[in-house]
mmCIF file of all heavy atoms in Angstrom:
data_model
loop_
_atom_site.group_PDB
_atom_site.id
_atom_site.type_symbol
_atom_site.label_atom_id
_atom_site.label_comp_id
_atom_site.label_asym_id
_atom_site.label_seq_id
_atom_site.Cartn_x
_atom_site.Cartn_y
_atom_site.Cartn_z
ATOM 1 N N LYS Y 194 -16.873 12.508 -6.916
ATOM 2 C CA LYS Y 194 -17.319 11.870 -8.159
ATOM 3 C C LYS Y 194 -16.579 12.431 -9.358
ATOM 4 O O LYS Y 194 -16.154 11.706 -10.256
ATOM 5 C CB LYS Y 194 -18.825 12.118 -8.346
ATOM 6 C CG LYS Y 194 -19.677 11.077 -7.635
ATOM 7 C CD LYS Y 194 -21.131 11.230 -8.013
ATOM 8 C CE LYS Y 194 -21.916 11.665 -6.806
ATOM 9 N NZ LYS Y 194 -23.267 12.075 -7.012
ATOM 10 N N GLN Y 195 -16.429 13.764 -9.320
ATOM 11 C CA GLN Y 195 -15.754 14.433 -10.432
ATOM 12 C C GLN Y 195 -14.286 13.989 -10.504
ATOM 13 O O GLN Y 195 -13.774 13.667 -11.581
ATOM 14 C CB GLN Y 195 -15.838 15.943 -10.201
ATOM 15 C CG GLN Y 195 -15.387 16.776 -11.380
ATOM 16 C CD GLN Y 195 -15.182 18.222 -10.960
ATOM 17 O OE1 GLN Y 195 -15.899 18.745 -10.094
ATOM 18 N NE2 GLN Y 195 -14.184 18.864 -11.531
ATOM 19 N N ILE Y 196 -13.629 13.950 -9.347
ATOM 20 C CA ILE Y 196 -12.218 13.563 -9.320
ATOM 21 C C ILE Y 196 -12.030 12.137 -9.830
ATOM 22 O O ILE Y 196 -11.178 11.870 -10.665
ATOM 23 C CB ILE Y 196 -11.649 13.728 -7.886
ATOM 24 C CG1 ILE Y 196 -11.472 15.225 -7.595
ATOM 25 C CG2 ILE Y 196 -10.324 12.992 -7.723
ATOM 26 C CD1 ILE Y 196 -11.161 15.536 -6.159
ATOM 27 N N VAL Y 197 -12.881 11.240 -9.342
ATOM 28 C CA VAL Y 197 -12.752 9.839 -9.764
ATOM 29 C C VAL Y 197 -13.036 9.693 -11.256
ATOM 30 O O VAL Y 197 -12.301 9.007 -11.977
ATOM 31 C CB VAL Y 197 -13.665 8.927 -8.915
ATOM 32 C CG1 VAL Y 197 -13.776 7.540 -9.520
ATOM 33 C CG2 VAL Y 197 -13.140 8.830 -7.482
ATOM 34 N N SER Y 198 -14.066 10.390 -11.760
ATOM 35 C CA SER Y 198 -14.356 10.212 -13.189
ATOM 36 C C SER Y 198 -13.257 10.831 -14.063
ATOM 37 O O SER Y 198 -12.956 10.307 -15.136
ATOM 38 C CB SER Y 198 -15.750 10.719 -13.562
ATOM 39 O OG SER Y 198 -15.879 12.053 -13.204
ATOM 40 N N GLU Y 199 -12.632 11.887 -13.576
ATOM 41 C CA GLU Y 199 -11.502 12.448 -14.332
ATOM 42 C C GLU Y 199 -10.321 11.476 -14.372
ATOM 43 O O GLU Y 199 -9.671 11.310 -15.404
ATOM 44 C CB GLU Y 199 -11.057 13.788 -13.721
ATOM 45 C CG GLU Y 199 -11.979 14.940 -14.101
ATOM 46 C CD GLU Y 199 -11.666 16.228 -13.341
ATOM 47 O OE1 GLU Y 199 -10.595 16.310 -12.693
ATOM 48 O OE2 GLU Y 199 -12.497 17.148 -13.401
ATOM 49 N N LEU Y 200 -10.064 10.838 -13.241
ATOM 50 C CA LEU Y 200 -8.960 9.870 -13.197
ATOM 51 C C LEU Y 200 -9.223 8.705 -14.155
ATOM 52 O O LEU Y 200 -8.329 8.264 -14.873
ATOM 53 C CB LEU Y 200 -8.760 9.338 -11.773
ATOM 54 C CG LEU Y 200 -8.155 10.314 -10.765
ATOM 55 C CD1 LEU Y 200 -8.115 9.684 -9.380
ATOM 56 C CD2 LEU Y 200 -6.754 10.736 -11.191
ATOM 57 N N ILE Y 201 -10.471 8.249 -14.166
ATOM 58 C CA ILE Y 201 -10.821 7.139 -15.055
ATOM 59 C C ILE Y 201 -10.662 7.578 -16.523
ATOM 60 O O ILE Y 201 -10.102 6.851 -17.346
ATOM 61 C CB ILE Y 201 -12.254 6.637 -14.767
ATOM 62 C CG1 ILE Y 201 -12.282 5.970 -13.378
ATOM 63 C CG2 ILE Y 201 -12.720 5.641 -15.827
ATOM 64 C CD1 ILE Y 201 -13.667 5.680 -12.848
ATOM 65 N N ALA Y 202 -11.115 8.814 -16.806
ATOM 66 C CA ALA Y 202 -10.978 9.340 -18.169
ATOM 67 C C ALA Y 202 -9.512 9.434 -18.585
ATOM 68 O O ALA Y 202 -9.164 9.287 -19.757
ATOM 69 C CB ALA Y 202 -11.658 10.706 -18.268
ATOM 70 N N GLU Y 203 -8.638 9.661 -17.609
ATOM 71 C CA GLU Y 203 -7.195 9.739 -17.904
ATOM 72 C C GLU Y 203 -6.523 8.359 -17.830
ATOM 73 O O GLU Y 203 -5.300 8.261 -17.781
ATOM 74 C CB GLU Y 203 -6.517 10.712 -16.937
ATOM 75 C CG GLU Y 203 -6.893 12.172 -17.168
ATOM 76 C CD GLU Y 203 -6.450 13.085 -16.023
ATOM 77 O OE1 GLU Y 203 -5.387 12.802 -15.424
ATOM 78 O OE2 GLU Y 203 -7.176 14.043 -15.726
ATOM 79 N N ASN Y 204 -7.349 7.322 -17.791
ATOM 80 C CA ASN Y 204 -6.846 5.940 -17.789
ATOM 81 C C ASN Y 204 -6.099 5.503 -16.536
ATOM 82 O O ASN Y 204 -5.298 4.570 -16.576
ATOM 83 C CB ASN Y 204 -5.968 5.661 -19.015
ATOM 84 C CG ASN Y 204 -6.798 5.585 -20.278
ATOM 85 O OD1 ASN Y 204 -7.895 5.013 -20.242
ATOM 86 N ND2 ASN Y 204 -6.312 6.179 -21.334
ATOM 87 N N TYR Y 205 -6.340 6.178 -15.447
ATOM 88 C CA TYR Y 205 -5.783 5.662 -14.188
ATOM 89 C C TYR Y 205 -6.604 4.449 -13.754
ATOM 90 O O TYR Y 205 -7.828 4.436 -13.906
ATOM 91 C CB TYR Y 205 -5.842 6.738 -13.082
ATOM 92 C CG TYR Y 205 -4.741 7.761 -13.192
ATOM 93 C CD1 TYR Y 205 -4.975 9.027 -13.745
ATOM 94 C CD2 TYR Y 205 -3.456 7.473 -12.737
ATOM 95 C CE1 TYR Y 205 -3.966 9.974 -13.843
ATOM 96 C CE2 TYR Y 205 -2.439 8.408 -12.831
ATOM 97 C CZ TYR Y 205 -2.694 9.657 -13.387
ATOM 98 O OH TYR Y 205 -1.699 10.575 -13.489
ATOM 99 N N PRO Y 206 -5.938 3.424 -13.236
ATOM 100 C CA PRO Y 206 -6.654 2.181 -12.912
ATOM 101 C C PRO Y 206 -7.408 2.248 -11.583
ATOM 102 O O PRO Y 206 -7.077 1.548 -10.616
ATOM 103 C CB PRO Y 206 -5.511 1.153 -12.844
ATOM 104 C CG PRO Y 206 -4.327 1.932 -12.397
ATOM 105 C CD PRO Y 206 -4.484 3.318 -12.961
ATOM 106 N N VAL Y 207 -8.448 3.072 -11.545
ATOM 107 C CA VAL Y 207 -9.244 3.186 -10.319
ATOM 108 C C VAL Y 207 -10.084 1.912 -10.158
ATOM 109 O O VAL Y 207 -10.786 1.513 -11.089
ATOM 110 C CB VAL Y 207 -10.190 4.417 -10.376
ATOM 111 C CG1 VAL Y 207 -10.973 4.548 -9.084
ATOM 112 C CG2 VAL Y 207 -9.394 5.685 -10.661
ATOM 113 N N LEU Y 208 -9.976 1.266 -9.006
ATOM 114 C CA LEU Y 208 -10.758 0.045 -8.787
ATOM 115 C C LEU Y 208 -12.246 0.396 -8.768
ATOM 116 O O LEU Y 208 -12.638 1.438 -8.230
ATOM 117 C CB LEU Y 208 -10.353 -0.629 -7.468
ATOM 118 C CG LEU Y 208 -8.912 -1.157 -7.398
ATOM 119 C CD1 LEU Y 208 -8.653 -1.836 -6.051
ATOM 120 C CD2 LEU Y 208 -8.595 -2.110 -8.535
ATOM 121 N N PRO Y 209 -13.089 -0.473 -9.332
ATOM 122 C CA PRO Y 209 -14.514 -0.147 -9.477
ATOM 123 C C PRO Y 209 -15.327 -0.208 -8.183
ATOM 124 O O PRO Y 209 -16.540 -0.030 -8.220
ATOM 125 C CB PRO Y 209 -15.009 -1.193 -10.489
ATOM 126 C CG PRO Y 209 -14.039 -2.310 -10.398
ATOM 127 C CD PRO Y 209 -12.726 -1.718 -10.030
ATOM 128 N N GLU Y 210 -14.682 -0.452 -7.072
ATOM 129 C CA GLU Y 210 -15.392 -0.447 -5.775
ATOM 130 C C GLU Y 210 -14.831 0.717 -4.963
ATOM 131 O O GLU Y 210 -13.622 0.783 -4.725
ATOM 132 C CB GLU Y 210 -15.118 -1.787 -5.069
ATOM 133 C CG GLU Y 210 -15.731 -1.933 -3.705
ATOM 134 C CD GLU Y 210 -17.194 -2.388 -3.760
ATOM 135 O OE1 GLU Y 210 -17.505 -3.312 -4.520
ATOM 136 O OE2 GLU Y 210 -18.001 -1.784 -3.027
ATOM 137 N N TYR Y 211 -15.697 1.646 -4.552
ATOM 138 C CA TYR Y 211 -15.213 2.802 -3.801
ATOM 139 C C TYR Y 211 -15.446 2.581 -2.310
ATOM 140 O O TYR Y 211 -16.416 1.952 -1.908
ATOM 141 C CB TYR Y 211 -15.926 4.091 -4.245
ATOM 142 C CG TYR Y 211 -15.870 4.347 -5.740
ATOM 143 C CD1 TYR Y 211 -16.829 5.139 -6.367
ATOM 144 C CD2 TYR Y 211 -14.853 3.782 -6.520
ATOM 145 C CE1 TYR Y 211 -16.789 5.366 -7.741
ATOM 146 C CE2 TYR Y 211 -14.802 4.011 -7.897
ATOM 147 C CZ TYR Y 211 -15.774 4.802 -8.498
ATOM 148 O OH TYR Y 211 -15.734 5.016 -9.843
ATOM 149 N N VAL Y 212 -14.550 3.123 -1.493
ATOM 150 C CA VAL Y 212 -14.664 2.962 -0.041
ATOM 151 C C VAL Y 212 -15.228 4.259 0.532
ATOM 152 O O VAL Y 212 -14.607 5.314 0.427
ATOM 153 C CB VAL Y 212 -13.290 2.644 0.592
ATOM 154 C CG1 VAL Y 212 -13.418 2.455 2.089
ATOM 155 C CG2 VAL Y 212 -12.674 1.403 -0.051
ATOM 156 N N SER Y 213 -16.418 4.155 1.112
ATOM 157 C CA SER Y 213 -17.082 5.383 1.547
ATOM 158 C C SER Y 213 -16.472 5.945 2.826
ATOM 159 O O SER Y 213 -15.772 5.250 3.561
ATOM 160 C CB SER Y 213 -18.577 5.122 1.737
ATOM 161 O OG SER Y 213 -18.738 4.050 2.631
ATOM 162 N N GLN Y 214 -16.754 7.212 3.062
ATOM 163 C CA GLN Y 214 -16.326 7.836 4.307
ATOM 164 C C GLN Y 214 -17.340 7.480 5.389
ATOM 165 O O GLN Y 214 -18.540 7.629 5.184
ATOM 166 C CB GLN Y 214 -16.263 9.345 4.133
ATOM 167 C CG GLN Y 214 -15.725 10.048 5.355
ATOM 168 C CD GLN Y 214 -15.452 11.508 5.050
ATOM 169 O OE1 GLN Y 214 -16.366 12.265 4.713
ATOM 170 N NE2 GLN Y 214 -14.211 11.906 5.151
ATOM 171 N N SER Y 215 -16.850 6.995 6.497
ATOM 172 C CA SER Y 215 -17.766 6.611 7.565
ATOM 173 C C SER Y 215 -17.076 6.694 8.917
ATOM 174 O O SER Y 215 -15.903 6.337 9.046
ATOM 175 C CB SER Y 215 -18.254 5.175 7.328
ATOM 176 O OG SER Y 215 -18.810 4.647 8.513
ATOM 177 N N VAL Y 216 -17.833 7.136 9.935
ATOM 178 C CA VAL Y 216 -17.268 7.191 11.286
ATOM 179 C C VAL Y 216 -16.902 5.794 11.795
ATOM 180 O O VAL Y 216 -16.107 5.657 12.711
ATOM 181 C CB VAL Y 216 -18.218 7.845 12.319
ATOM 182 C CG1 VAL Y 216 -18.395 9.314 12.042
ATOM 183 C CG2 VAL Y 216 -19.549 7.129 12.364
ATOM 184 N N LYS Y 217 -17.500 4.781 11.170
ATOM 185 C CA LYS Y 217 -17.178 3.398 11.583
ATOM 186 C C LYS Y 217 -15.678 3.137 11.506
ATOM 187 O O LYS Y 217 -15.140 2.344 12.280
ATOM 188 C CB LYS Y 217 -17.903 2.383 10.691
ATOM 189 C CG LYS Y 217 -19.241 1.941 11.209
ATOM 190 C CD LYS Y 217 -19.106 0.891 12.321
ATOM 191 C CE LYS Y 217 -20.410 0.547 12.973
ATOM 192 N NZ LYS Y 217 -20.753 1.153 14.198
ATOM 193 N N MET Y 218 -15.001 3.796 10.548
ATOM 194 C CA MET Y 218 -13.559 3.566 10.412
ATOM 195 C C MET Y 218 -12.840 4.030 11.681
ATOM 196 O O MET Y 218 -12.020 3.315 12.242
ATOM 197 C CB MET Y 218 -13.013 4.289 9.180
ATOM 198 C CG MET Y 218 -11.542 4.031 8.921
ATOM 199 S SD MET Y 218 -11.202 2.287 8.548
ATOM 200 C CE MET Y 218 -11.392 2.264 6.756
#
Side-chain angles (χ1 to χ4, degrees):
K194 274 189 246 170
Q195 190 194 326
I196 286 170
V197 168
S198 57
E199 282 172 12
L200 288 176
I201 292 168
E203 290 168 34
N204 288 320
Y205 281 101
V207 182
L208 295 182
E210 178 84 45
Y211 307 156
V212 181
S213 55
Q214 184 170 62
S215 163
V216 292
K217 268 281 173 261
M218 184 64 90

